[in-house]
Amino acid sequence: MKKIMTVFGTRPEAIKVCPLINELKKRKNIDVIVCVTGQHRQMLDQVLNTFNVQPDYDLNLMKNKQTLFDITIGILEGIKNIIKVEQPDVVLIHGDTTTAFATALACFYLQTPIGHVEAGLRTYNIYSPYPEEFNRQVVSIISSYNFAPTQLSRENLISEGHNPESIYITGNTVIDAMEHTVTANYNHPELDWIGDSKMIFITAHRRENLGEPMRHMFRAIRRVLDEHVDCKAIYPIHMNPLVREIATEELGECDRIHIIEPLDVLDCHNFEARSYLCLTDSGGIQEECPSYGVPVLVMRDTTERPEGVNAGTLKLVGTDEETIYKNFKLLLEDKDYYNTMSNACNPYGDGKACKRIADILEYGVYEPWKPEK
Ligand code: UD1
Ligand code: UDP
């Protein structure tokens, strides 16, 4: 019997790890231990409930306006004894959060093998996204199993000198999650409010965008919405109070934007699928919207997800007010341009990533994912 311990703490990690936990639980040669750090609280619990996952351990460390120091120190102190007591064969971490980084560091100190899910995404600018690019590069140095979602993420790891035998192309587990969420007969009161208008879907939360960049993002959105009465926007707002302060100041008075509480993942995917276009600085949403053929304006200077840019569905527009304004307006007014961006494609996976990762952990063999030509 192999003991696999999963450690995660934020909403996006939970969305991408819970389907994997449920797959690992089906395997007869695997014993799964679930540990959450509680880097997020309400937004994490929403996802745990949706996927019916009950943690064995919960560090419960979220603090209001927490710093990177708070999270890193809290995890290092909290996780040490759990790993010592459980003695897992492999600790599975996900992506690029401070939960992933601090857990990897603890595993390194205890010489416990790491499996890194969503390995090899890169911008090669450690300040963008901050601190995520640093986190994921460091994790790659110490992980034994690198579950790369795409061929490109595998190539990144190989070009950095990581052992090719440790790298598996699995597809992204978010595509697996989406198979359980989007339904044809879905409805919601906010969709009734949208009616026949074009739905604009907005999210924003990146640390490096807090402050002036986020104000510019919101001002650009506000200006375009004021000029386009056929559009209404839904903005499920992140729980970060720093985001909430800026959003209330810049978007609060606009009656064609509904700022709502974070959506359950099931609702979120159904909203995305019905959107006309999306403006975001999120990572996960850049992977989800291409599947629905929903164009995404990525309000960041860099992306670690160039597959969607190459496929034409994502466009990087940075955080400059005029650039966002012009690109958003163009996408609403130029139908040909809109059509070139709205082709549905799936460059991130085929919905079988969890099975592949479980096969590798259970039997050491798997069928690599190859995108359809
Ligand atoms: C974190 C991750 C980021 C990921 C994002 C997903 C790091 C450094 N950042 O950023 O990579 O993209 O999660 O959303 O790991 N809060 C609540 N309730 C919640 C969640 C957050 O109140 O359920 C508030 C708290 O005041 C908290 C603040 O949001 O202090 C910021 O949370 P934090 O995890 O530090 O940063 P995120 O921006 O969420
Ligand atoms: N999401 C959600 N509810 C919301 C907003 C986002 O369930 O109100 C989901 C979204 O579908 C995606 C993930 O959260 O799967 C993205 O999380 P976030 O943007 O917080 O983090 P990132 O992906 O940037 O790390």
Side-chain angles (χ1 to χ4, degrees):
M1 195 67 128
K2 240 187 192 169
K3 192 186 269 194
I4 308 288
M5 187 164 121
T6 62
V7 184
F8 56 100
T10 64
R11 169 174 67 190
E13 294 169 279
I15 291 169
K16 292 167 169 179
V17 172
C18 285
L20 176 57
I21 291 172
N22 289 335
E23 176 66 32
L24 290 170
K25 280 186 178 159
K26 290 190 220 154
R27 303 298 177 112
K28 60 179 187 310
N29 301 315
I30 289 182
D31 181 18
V32 193
I33 308 290
V34 178
C35 174
V36 296
T37 62
Q39 177 176 336
H40 285 175
R41 189 69 277 164
Q42 303 89 333
M43 286 163 44
L44 173 70
D45 293 343
Q46 271 184 317
V47 185
L48 294 173
N49 291 336
T50 300
F51 288 94
N52 198 17
V53 168
Q54 283 92 29
D56 300 294
Y57 296 95
D58 188 341
L59 302 183
N60 196 23
L61 57 80
M62 194 191 84
K63 285 200 255 183
N64 202 25
K65 299 189 182 179
Q66 62 205 2
T67 65
L68 299 176
F69 290 90
D70 297 328
I71 315 168
T72 308
I73 293 164
I75 293 170
L76 278 176
E77 284 181 352
I79 205 90
K80 180 173 76 180
N81 282 338
I82 299 174
I83 297 176
K84 278 187 173 172
V85 168
E86 290 291 347
Q87 302 272 319
D89 294 296
V90 178
V91 171
L92 279 187
I93 54 173
H94 182 278
D96 53 22
T97 64
T98 297
T99 285
F101 161 66
T103 303
L105 187 57
C107 289
F108 176 63
Y109 289 162
L110 295 169
Q111 301 207 16
T112 303
I114 296 166
H116 188 203
V117 182
E118 201 179 85
L121 277 65
R122 294 290 186 266
T123 63
Y124 292 110
N125 175 348
I126 55 167
Y127 295 101
S128 176
Y130 171 84
E132 289 83 1
E133 177 68 15
F134 167 84
N135 288 345
R136 59 193 171 214
Q137 288 199 26
V138 172
V139 169
S140 299
I141 298 173
I142 47 184
S143 79
S144 306
Y145 297 85
N146 292 290
F147 301 111
T150 66
Q151 176 68 30
L152 191 68
S153 42
R154 180 172 197 272
E155 285 163 13
N156 288 338
L157 291 165
I158 288 176
S159 72
E160 291 164 25
H162 299 297
N163 178 6
E165 308 261 292
S166 74
I167 308 167
Y168 307 86
I169 305 179
T170 60
N172 198 305
T173 58
V174 76
I175 308 294
D176 302 31
M178 283 160 55
E179 305 224 318
H180 303 283
T181 50
V182 180
T183 49
N185 57 358
Y186 175 84
N187 212 346
H188 189 283
E190 290 295 341
L191 296 182
D192 293 338
W193 172 70
I194 295 284
D196 294 332
S197 301
K198 289 175 180 160
M199 172 156 74
I200 312 300
F201 194 74
I202 302 167
T203 79
H205 72 83
R206 299 239 79 82
R207 258 171 206 266
E208 69 272 17
N209 286 345
L210 294 171
E212 280 309 298
M214 201 168 275
R215 283 190 191 282
H216 294 160
M217 287 155 51
F218 292 154
R219 282 177 195 156
I221 292 171
R222 176 72 190 263
R223 279 169 60 197
V224 176
L225 286 172
D226 284 344
E227 291 170 18
H228 291 81
V229 291
D230 58 338
C231 295
K232 286 181 180 167
I234 298 282
Y235 175 9
I237 194 166
H238 198 279
M239 295 199 74
N240 190 336
L242 300 170
V243 174
R244 291 184 172 220
E245 279 161 29
I246 302 170
T248 311
E249 283 170 28
E250 300 292 341
L251 300 173
E253 300 295 310
C254 179
D255 60 7
R256 269 182 299 106
I257 303 182
H258 274 190
I259 301 181
I260 60 175
E261 288 304 315
L263 288 163
D264 279 346
V265 57
L266 194 142
D267 298 306
C268 189
H269 288 179
N270 278 285
F271 274 55
E272 285 170 23
R274 288 160 176 79
S275 294
Y276 189 73
L277 67 92
C278 174
L279 292 122
T280 189
D281 64 8
S282 160
I285 290 175
Q286 293 179 56
E287 293 155 348
E288 293 162 354
C289 283
S291 299
Y292 314 124
V294 174
V296 182
L297 297 179
V298 182
M299 298 182 291
R300 294 171 46 180
D301 296 324
T302 59
T303 183
E304 57 291 278
R305 290 160 172 98
E307 295 89 348
V309 177
N310 296 337
T313 319
L314 311 181
K315 183 163 186 204
L316 270 182
V317 292
T319 57
D320 171 66
E321 180 178 334
E322 280 313 306
T323 310
I324 298 172
Y325 171 81
K326 281 188 194 137
N327 278 281
F328 184 10
K329 205 169 143 63
L330 185 67
L331 209 43
L332 289 175
E333 293 174 4
D334 184 337
K335 191 68 189 162
D336 291 339
Y337 178 48
Y338 181 87
N339 288 341
T340 60
M341 278 190 79
S342 78
N343 283 329
C345 59
N346 213 332
Y348 298 109
D350 62 353
K352 298 191 180 83
C354 296
K355 181 181 176 307
R356 290 192 184 93
I357 296 170
D359 283 350
I360 294 156
L361 292 169
E362 189 174 15
Y363 308 117
V365 290
Y366 85 122
E367 270 300 308
W369 174 59
K370 286 197 193 77
E372 283 168 23
K373 289 272 180 249

